[in-house]
Amino acid sequence: MSSSASSVVNGGVSFWYADDGLPEVRQPLAGDTAADVVIVGGGYTGLWTAYYLKKAAPFLRITVLEQKFCGYGASGRNGGWLYNGIAGRDRYAKLHGHEAAVRLQRAMNDTVDEVVRALAEEGVEADVHQGGVLEVARTPAQLARLKAFHRAELAFGEKDRELYDAGHTAERIKVADAVGSTWTPHGARVHPVKLVKGLAAAVEALGVTVHELTPVTEIRPQHAVTPYGTVRAPYILRCTEGFTAGLKGQKRTWLPMNSSMIATEPLTDAQWESVGWDGRETLGDMAHAYMYAQRTADGRIALGGRGVPYRFGSRTDNDGRTQETTIEALREILVGFFPSLAAVRVEHAWSGVLGVPRDWCATVTLDRSTGLGWAGGYVGSGVATANLAGRTLCDLVQLDSGQGGRTELTELPWVGHKVRKWEPEPLRWLGVQGMYAIYRTADRRETARHSAESSRLARWADRVAGRH
């Protein structure tokens, strides 16, 4: 029998925490203090920034302030896609030229290997499997988009990407109705929580001070304000991604977009035989309202999608709970992809928020006049991008403080990119809800029509959203 949404463990932050256990929470800030660098946010971005800064300059006094515990946000709830995608590359090509965007893409390609290297160096076991990323098309319109996507990736210098027809796709994975796929080696499956726990421990072992249960309510030059005291430092780096709207003055900076996931029970050998997926690639598709999935180390399928995309007023969820209708919708995607798994139980469901800038471009910035810096706006591609952002923030602080010079990272086109704020409510809520309703309608029409032309509805939604 299949599981109903009401029998699923819903929330508890994420399945990854149910699997690996909630962390022992570190002590909160005990009063006013000072540091050389304050990092607000204990997710991937903040921890990688602290890691590389402390490695580069061991004498720095670095303090990380986290409102709950390290990895409470997207870093502990994501789909475990460590891959080379980055939000905004096409726009950066238009603004700075094709070669600048190629440099950004090469940096992302290298970042996948850098994360794997750093985890190995620190002895962090995060269930890493470098099987690459496989993205499938299941309709003629999706196939046309997939081929265009494949050509674009080659044009940005990815010479080792491969394009597969329906037959070759079926040899790798038995996705129902798959008509083609594209694969890149620049990707790996990871266990998000094992990664963030190991990284937090490595950062502490280097001598970085980490305070949890310490919400920052306001950031201003040389000050990070909390209910328990203020930390003063020449550099205050905001690494809050989807939770940025909770800071004073940041309500409309990045929209907290919801993404939801389910995890099945462990599959039997016979069930895996029916699915294939021996390469353990991370799996995505070319739908407008796309899905993403991985084959976990303990033999489950963890699969995600948008669900209810946005909560009014930039609110965030309560410890990862998601709507039962979303659980059912994700289960339908799972069974649609793999009809042989119709009887498989869904054991866990959860949600989280990711940061979306108004122009859908990830950015890294250090304002040299104020010492305020920030990174984020990853639009769902943050597992690897956060590492590149952390290394870039490190280089920017080194440059500004006179401890280092310009580097390849400080010259990347996403550094210092400026973007306008999101519209006020209720326009923000209406726009996002309408956009994803249109995307879902476009997907249904493409499935019904069997045309190679993408839905005009989706192209219109892209323009309104500012994605192109």
Side-chain angles (χ1 to χ4, degrees):
M1 293 288 291
S2 65
S3 57
S4 67
S6 59
S7 68
V8 175
V9 177
N10 188 352
V13 187
S14 72
F15 161 75
W16 309 116
Y17 279 111
D19 179 56
D20 199 61
L22 290 169
E24 184 176 333
V25 180
R26 297 169 176 86
Q27 289 297 308
L29 183 69
D32 292 347
T33 187
D36 297 312
V37 180
V38 172
I39 295 169
V40 181
Y44 294 151
T45 305
L47 293 174
W48 281 124
T49 302
Y51 177 80
Y52 288 106
L53 265 174
K54 195 67 173 174
K55 285 268 195 177
F59 56 85
L60 286 177
R61 297 171 302 156
I62 302 172
T63 297
V64 176
L65 302 175
E66 163 56 42
Q67 68 168 340
K68 292 288 184 69
F69 54 79
C70 290
Y72 174 78
S75 298
R77 310 189 197 189
N78 62 81
W81 274 45
L82 177 70
Y83 87 119
N84 67 339
I86 185 166
R89 185 191 63 190
D90 291 347
R91 187 178 295 271
Y92 288 131
K94 292 176 182 176
L95 292 172
H96 301 279
H98 182 76
E99 283 307 309
V102 168
R103 286 190 287 109
L104 182 60
Q105 185 60 65
R106 285 180 183 147
M108 280 304 308
N109 296 348
D110 294 341
T111 293
V112 175
D113 292 331
E114 167 60 18
V115 172
V116 174
R117 183 206 64 78
L119 294 179
E121 180 178 298
E122 298 299 333
V124 177
E125 174 49 61
D127 295 344
V128 176
H129 181 84
Q130 286 188 273
V133 183
L134 186 71
E135 292 175 271
V136 301
R138 301 176 66 215
T139 68
Q142 286 187 25
L143 182 61
R145 287 197 296 275
L146 181 135
K147 289 179 177 178
F149 168 70
H150 179 82
R151 289 192 298 271
E153 298 308 293
L154 296 182
F156 281 102
E158 199 178 338
K159 303 305 182 187
D160 41 7
R161 176 175 286 273
E162 298 176 5
L163 183 67
Y164 303 139
D165 61 15
H168 196 160
T169 300
E171 291 174 9
R172 297 191 73 128
I173 189 168
K174 298 180 178 67
V175 172
D177 303 320
V179 291
S181 61
T182 181
W183 175 82
T184 176
H186 300 293
R189 173 209 70 197
V190 299
H191 188 300
V193 162
K194 291 180 180 180
L195 195 165
V196 76
K197 282 184 177 180
L199 180 56
V203 162
E204 260 192 329
L206 289 172
V208 172
T209 300
V210 181
H211 290 297
E212 297 178 326
L213 299 175
T214 305
V216 172
T217 55
E218 182 183 1
I219 293 172
R220 58 178 188 264
Q222 301 186 21
H223 295 74
V225 181
T226 85
Y228 312 119
T230 296
V231 186
R232 292 171 173 81
Y235 298 101
I236 312 289
L237 307 180
R238 188 187 81 222
C239 302
T240 47
E241 184 57 357
F243 290 84
T244 300
L247 289 164
K248 183 177 180 181
Q250 303 294 334
K251 192 81 167 181
R252 293 163 53 197
T253 300
W254 290 333
L255 184 140
M257 185 81 76
N258 288 297
S259 200
S260 296
M261 294 197 70
I262 57 173
T264 68
E265 64 184 332
L267 272 59
T268 65
D269 289 345
Q271 287 168 331
W272 279 121
E273 182 72 24
S274 74
V275 169
W277 210 346
D278 296 334
R280 291 170 172 78
E281 309 92 339
T282 56
L283 176 67
D285 74 350
M286 299 304 293
H288 299 293
Y290 57 86
M291 58 75 73
Y292 52 95
Q294 67 150 283
R295 177 174 175 169
T296 68
D298 63 347
R300 306 169 191 266
I301 293 177
L303 179 148
R306 277 290 176 265
V308 176
Y310 173 70
R311 290 177 170 87
F312 189 88
S314 292
R315 288 179 291 122
T316 56
D317 59 83
N318 179 27
D319 286 347
R321 282 193 63 84
T322 194
Q323 302 82 6
E324 290 197 3
T325 53
T326 297
I327 298 171
E328 293 291 0
L330 292 175
R331 179 178 171 75
E332 286 180 13
I333 293 173
L334 172 71
V335 176
F337 269 63
F338 306 113
S340 65
L341 303 184
V344 168
R345 289 186 301 113
V346 172
E347 287 195 345
H348 209 118
W350 70 100
S351 67
V353 292
L354 50 101
V356 180
R358 189 61 183 86
D359 65 354
W360 302 71
C361 290
T363 57
V364 181
T365 297
L366 179 64
D367 185 336
R368 304 185 71 173
S369 66
T370 63
L372 298 180
W374 56 89
Y378 305 132
V379 196
S381 298
V383 180
T385 313
N387 175 275
L388 180 61
R391 286 185 285 135
T392 305
L393 275 176
C394 169
D395 285 4
L396 289 170
V397 170
Q398 291 278 91
L399 173 63
D400 185 71
S401 62
Q403 300 296 320
R406 296 185 180 278
T407 68
E408 290 182 4
L409 299 187
T410 63
E411 303 305 300
L412 290 174
W414 69 333
V415 173
H417 178 73
K418 293 181 173 60
V419 58
R420 67 185 176 93
K421 292 182 179 294
W422 281 88
E423 291 79 1
E425 298 290 22
L427 296 177
R428 192 158 70 242
W429 184 87
L430 290 169
V432 177
Q433 298 294 333
M435 178 180 68
Y436 276 97
I438 291 170
Y439 284 146
R440 286 189 284 267
T441 300
D443 285 330
R444 287 194 296 270
R445 287 189 178 184
E446 289 177 3
T447 300
R449 289 179 177 175
H450 300 288
S451 168
E453 184 180 1
S454 289
S455 169
R456 293 179 181 177
L457 281 175
R459 294 201 297 271
W460 178 82
D462 282 345
R463 286 196 295 272
V464 172
R467 298 180 76 169
H468 292 298

